[in-house]
Amino acid sequence: RQESLTTAVALNKCASLLAVGDFEGVVKFWAADDQGRFAVTENAISFKGPITCLTFEPDGPLLAIAANNDALKVVDTSKHVDPPLTIKVNSGRRTLWRFGTHQKWSKWIRGVFAADFSPSGKQIAVGCTDNRAIVYDSDSGEQRQSMTIEVDSFWGTGILSVAYNRGGNELALGGRDGRITICDTNTGTILHEMRSDDLAIRSLTYDNTGQYLFSGSASGAVRFWHVDTASESSPLIATDDQVIKV
């Protein structure tokens, strides 16, 4: 049980380590025993600002951590070496609406909302406040690619979730406006765009075939999408709270 509001979770591939981030900026680690029961460890990492994203690399101990700032930190959870690799992200301006009016305004708010490792683990894509998805080298932190999509809602802009397919040739981006955009990772071009009545898309994940995509939204809906036809089914699950991980 967490004392503070849980804002992000991630489970490694072998289901032996669970990372949990909270609103106070603390990431705690829960290790599984031989019976599959989890217990909190003494290892914890603190950041300034709420934890917005946690994601493990596909086949290794690296964990990417995003807090409410312009940095993404990559930690080796097998060693807990300090300091971890830090990737500085120029996430730019965020467009917001003035409360009670129909006027937009822009504020310089740097933030990384989402991250996902490529299937090879050699690259990591991040979703930013200014509607950009930026791809970095996970070893050096050097920028490799940048893609911009259209996101515009009453609550502002930003890419809140990112997910690679198993082949690594597609990157799904979830926007604050409930839109899902799928891009070609080689060219950066948009392949498909899907829209629902949900609020912000907080989480995305492909199935193993890459033909289907699952989304979790701030409205509490978990949806199932056919990627090739850009069509959706009815909500698989409807909850009373936002879905931060699928």
Side-chain angles (χ1 to χ4, degrees):
R1 184 178 178 86
Q2 289 283 103
E3 296 179 358
S4 179
L5 176 68
T6 297
T7 55
V9 295
L11 183 67
N12 67 352
K13 185 177 181 179
C14 59
S16 62
L17 188 66
L18 175 70
V20 180
D22 65 24
F23 189 77
E24 301 297 328
V26 178
V27 178
K28 294 181 180 180
F29 297 93
W30 299 69
D33 61 19
D34 295 338
Q35 304 299 319
R37 296 170 297 194
F38 283 87
V40 66
T41 70
E42 296 181 355
N43 297 316
I45 306 175
S46 297
F47 297 88
K48 293 181 179 179
I51 303 300
T52 55
C53 176
L54 295 169
T55 184
F56 278 99
E57 67 174 327
D59 296 302
L62 296 183
L63 174 70
I65 305 171
N68 193 23
N69 53 37
D70 61 344
L72 182 76
K73 296 185 181 293
V74 181
V75 178
D76 187 337
T77 57
S78 66
K79 301 177 181 178
H80 288 279
V81 176
D82 189 39
L85 170 66
T86 299
I87 300 174
K88 299 294 289 183
V89 180
N90 182 15
S91 53
R93 289 183 178 272
R94 172 179 169 186
T95 302
L96 303 168
W97 287 89
R98 291 185 183 275
F99 184 75
T101 74
H102 297 286
Q103 296 179 336
K104 294 181 183 179
W105 63 292
S106 293
K107 186 177 181 181
W108 189 263
I109 301 178
R110 295 178 176 179
V112 176
F113 287 144
D116 192 32
F117 282 95
S118 65
S120 67
K122 295 181 178 180
Q123 295 183 331
I124 185 167
V126 302
C128 302
T129 53
D130 62 352
N131 299 346
R132 284 188 303 155
I134 308 175
V135 179
Y136 294 92
D137 185 288
S138 59
D139 290 326
S140 66
E142 295 181 1
Q143 182 174 325
R144 298 300 186 195
Q145 192 178 20
S146 179
M147 294 166 275
T148 302
I149 64 171
E150 181 181 351
V151 178
D152 194 1
S153 76
F154 177 83
W155 301 108
T157 59
I159 297 174
L160 303 188
S161 52
V162 298
Y164 280 98
N165 69 344
R166 191 173 184 180
N169 60 312
E170 291 181 2
L171 183 66
L173 311 173
R176 188 181 287 275
D177 58 356
R179 192 179 330 193
I180 299 172
T181 305
I182 298 178
C183 299
D184 186 305
T185 56
N186 295 314
T187 63
T189 57
I190 295 176
L191 301 175
H192 304 286
E193 188 174 271
M194 299 170 282
R195 187 71 178 264
S196 72
D197 295 330
D198 296 330
L199 299 177
I201 304 298
R202 291 293 314 274
S203 180
L204 290 168
T205 188
Y206 279 89
D207 79 325
N208 288 334
T209 68
Q211 299 179 22
Y212 303 104
L213 184 70
F214 296 89
S215 66
S217 74
S219 61
V222 176
R223 293 184 184 270
F224 164 73
W225 304 83
H226 299 268
V227 175
D228 291 340
T229 60
S231 60
E232 65 166 309
S233 70
S234 58
L236 296 179
I237 302 173
T239 69
D240 294 330
D241 204 350
Q242 62 179 316
V243 179
I244 64 173
K245 191 71 172 181
V246 292

